[in-house]
Amino acid sequence: MYSVKKNVLQTVALLKAYGIKHIVVSPGSRNAPLMQTFSQNPFFECHIIVDERNAAFYALGIIQATQTPVAICCTSGTAVLNYAPAVAEAYYQQLPLIVISADRSPEWIGQMDGQTLPQAGTFGSLVKKSVHLPEINNEKDEWFFNRLINESLIACTTNAAGPIHINIPISEPLFDYSEKELPSVRKIDYPQLTKTVNVRPFAKKWDSLTKRMIIVGQMFKSPETIAALEKLALANDCIILTEHLSNCASSSFITNFDALLYTLSDDQKIDFAPDLLITLGGHITSKRIKHFLREHKPKNHWHLSSSGEVVDLYQSLTDLIESDTLSFFAELSEQINANSESSFSELWKSTSSKIKEPKADTPFSDISVTGEFLKILPKNAALHLANSSTVRNVQLYTLDKSTSVFCNRGTNGIESTLPTTIGFASVYDGLVYLIIGDLSFFYSLSALWNIQHIKNLRILLINNGGGGIFHLLPELNKSASLKEYVAAEHTTNAKTWGEAAGLHYLSAKNREELNKSLDIFANEKTEQSILLEVSTEMEVSKKTFQEYYHQLKNI
């Protein structure tokens, strides 16, 4: 049985019509009619997460796993404000997150009534569409309501995806659940046409500029994109730079470019600078490539984008190309002249080949633990990475091409990793691996609440007793506030929390203990998710990191 509220019935029926299956709900009374109606229809799969901040990131994990829109639903008042960090991440990662907030009747906003605040437009410019829905009292209200939700759901996935906010005032009484069926509703279809551009002018520029570079930012794995880029790299002489977050691995591409740039003198950098830069995908982690290209600007920079938004990261944008990436590269390949390998490509490739991974006998540290862990990853692994040191340390190693890598680089917050990974694991069939640091882990401990039903998580917690990345910043090394305040050093361990959450807890403080634990960690046949906490020394990890980069200068 469903709520009798017409605005609730319309909302739920329209989400069903659009195929929005996963609903992450947080408890409350104002949104109870919505939860009742979602949960009683077998089409929907409802996930219950009490904490709204974690709930929203949990939903992002489901989006990453399914690559489909997901809705989150909360009660009135400050509940919706707790969604803000995940909404920001969804906006900058272009993920289709649907925020549904129940609200009080408008006449009671600002009147000292309980659990009220102005919810309409809460997220400002961080959503693609925000609507404040009417209560339905007549046919005109119903038409307007229907139109607004259609507009929002179309905006959620049109061109570049992104979050939307639907705010629904629900007046009392709230708990009449006597409606037997969802209504028939109007769904406005919006077929998305492939956008094409005239590639001929770009082909002429390509042929005239011989130092060519393509940078692939964060994206979901796409075999078609990899094949198109490999064709360009092999037949048409250009270098392609990718990170693990690009999910675009090939022996034809260069992944260690951040370390490579570290080895170059100012004079050498001129020879490595491109004339033509093409960028696609989302965020890039490497600060060095950003600084390098801002200092040595290419003559032409083409950015491929489905949103049409100007992103001038390297301060050199000449062409914003709003086109389907595969179509653009396919047509470009047909129109440009094939070239033999130039000295520019050879320079990049030969220098890249000289840069080796950290050695097997590297002292027990954050880097060595990361390397040992990556060795046990199976084929086709789903690997989640925390921000700061974790995502950078993993980049020092080569991953198997079949690995899919996820990280919330939209806004780079430390609060998002754990709940996002748990949400991903909740709908994923295989094992889900996570590498995370101590501050990020302890920040999001409440995400471990009520996850005993999730048995496919493998969490590697590297606990160095604080924010290790801050110790690598030269400007902070002499700061009196570094250890206590900036890096928040501590002596906490995760054993009690992990066991309370129903995780199989393992620990290691040296290489021998780590190897024993990794044997268990890699075992797919376990009745519980596993938390492996590895304790490292901050100063040893810092020194090991610095020594690795120092030896690069000698290649």
Side-chain angles (χ1 to χ4, degrees), residues 141-158:
D141 290 341
E142 186 169 337
W143 162 80
F144 184 38
F145 188 103
N146 174 277
R147 194 198 82 198
L148 289 175
I149 292 199
N150 269 289
E151 287 178 6
S152 301
L153 295 177
I154 288 171
C156 187
T157 55
T158 300

Side-chain angles (χ1 to χ4, degrees), residues 291-539:
H291 293 159
F292 169 67
L293 289 170
R294 289 167 188 168
E295 291 174 2
H296 303 277
K297 293 180 173 59
K299 294 177 182 178
N300 273 252
H301 172 199
W302 311 342
H303 181 57
L304 300 174
S305 167
S306 57
S307 70
E309 291 187 9
V310 173
V311 179
D312 192 12
L313 178 63
Y314 305 106
Q315 300 178 320
S316 58
L317 186 66
T318 56
D319 296 88
L320 178 63
I321 304 173
E322 191 175 0
S323 172
D324 173 68
T325 299
L326 293 176
S327 299
F328 178 82
F329 282 135
E331 192 169 346
L332 183 68
S333 294
E334 294 298 320
Q335 296 195 26
I336 58 181
N337 297 320
N339 302 110
S340 58
E341 186 168 84
S342 67
S343 58
F344 179 69
S345 293
E346 173 57 29
L347 181 64
W348 270 91
K349 292 176 182 177
S350 62
T351 308
S352 171
S353 67
K354 297 175 184 177
I355 297 172
K356 307 302 180 184
E357 296 181 353
K359 297 178 180 178
D361 61 354
T362 296
F364 190 74
S365 60
D366 295 358
I367 289 178
S368 68
V369 171
T370 300
E372 291 299 317
F373 168 75
L374 294 177
K375 290 178 183 177
I376 71 159
L377 276 183
K379 297 276 189 181
N380 302 305
L383 175 62
H384 286 250
L385 303 175
N387 282 298
S388 295
S389 296
T390 299
V391 67
R392 291 171 171 85
N393 289 344
V394 170
Q395 196 63 42
L396 300 178
Y397 294 91
T398 301
L399 292 180
D400 186 85
K401 291 191 294 184
S402 67
T403 304
S404 294
V405 183
F406 304 89
C407 180
N408 285 336
R409 292 301 294 176
T411 54
N412 306 355
I414 71 167
E415 79 276 44
S416 65
T417 305
L418 188 58
T420 298
T421 308
I422 292 171
F424 187 104
S426 73
V427 297
Y428 189 74
D429 289 335
L431 292 182
V432 178
Y433 298 88
L434 166 64
I435 310 177
I436 190 169
D438 46 280
L439 293 190
S440 183
F441 178 85
F442 291 123
Y443 191 112
S444 300
L445 271 177
S446 58
L448 297 177
W449 186 15
N450 290 336
I451 65 164
Q452 287 87 346
H453 61 290
I454 298 174
K455 304 183 186 301
N456 57 336
L457 266 176
R458 298 291 184 271
I459 303 172
L460 173 64
L461 166 58
I462 301 178
N463 187 346
N464 58 21
I469 196 169
F470 301 113
H471 285 260
L472 299 173
L473 302 177
E475 300 88 347
L476 282 174
N477 272 335
K478 297 180 181 179
S479 168
S481 62
L482 172 60
K483 291 186 177 182
E484 184 175 359
Y485 297 101
V486 180
E489 293 192 6
H490 62 88
T491 58
T492 308
N493 70 66
K495 184 176 189 295
T496 303
W497 279 296
E499 291 176 342
L503 303 175
H504 181 186
Y505 176 82
L506 301 170
S507 65
K509 294 183 179 180
N510 54 54
R511 186 170 270 109
E512 182 181 356
E513 292 178 355
L514 174 64
N515 290 332
K516 288 181 179 179
S517 295
L518 286 177
D519 289 340
I520 302 172
F521 201 76
N523 184 2
E524 294 194 25
K525 298 179 180 179
T526 61
E527 294 299 318
Q528 300 167 280
S529 289
I530 299 176
L531 169 63
L532 169 55
E533 181 175 23
V534 183
S535 300
T536 59
E537 295 292 333
M538 181 79 75
E539 287 303 315

Side-chain angles (χ1 to χ4, degrees), residues 264-310:
L264 304 181
S265 67
D266 289 340
D267 290 339
Q268 288 175 311
K269 287 179 181 177
I270 296 173
D271 295 328
F272 284 78
D275 294 327
L276 171 61
L277 172 66
I278 304 175
T279 55
L280 63 146
H283 292 253
I284 284 286
T285 302
S286 171
K287 287 186 177 181
R288 288 193 181 93
I289 193 67
K290 297 170 189 175
H291 293 159
F292 169 67
L293 289 170
R294 289 167 188 168
E295 291 174 2
H296 303 277
K297 293 180 173 59
K299 294 177 182 178
N300 273 252
H301 172 199
W302 311 342
H303 181 57
L304 300 174
S305 167
S306 57
S307 70
E309 291 187 9
V310 173

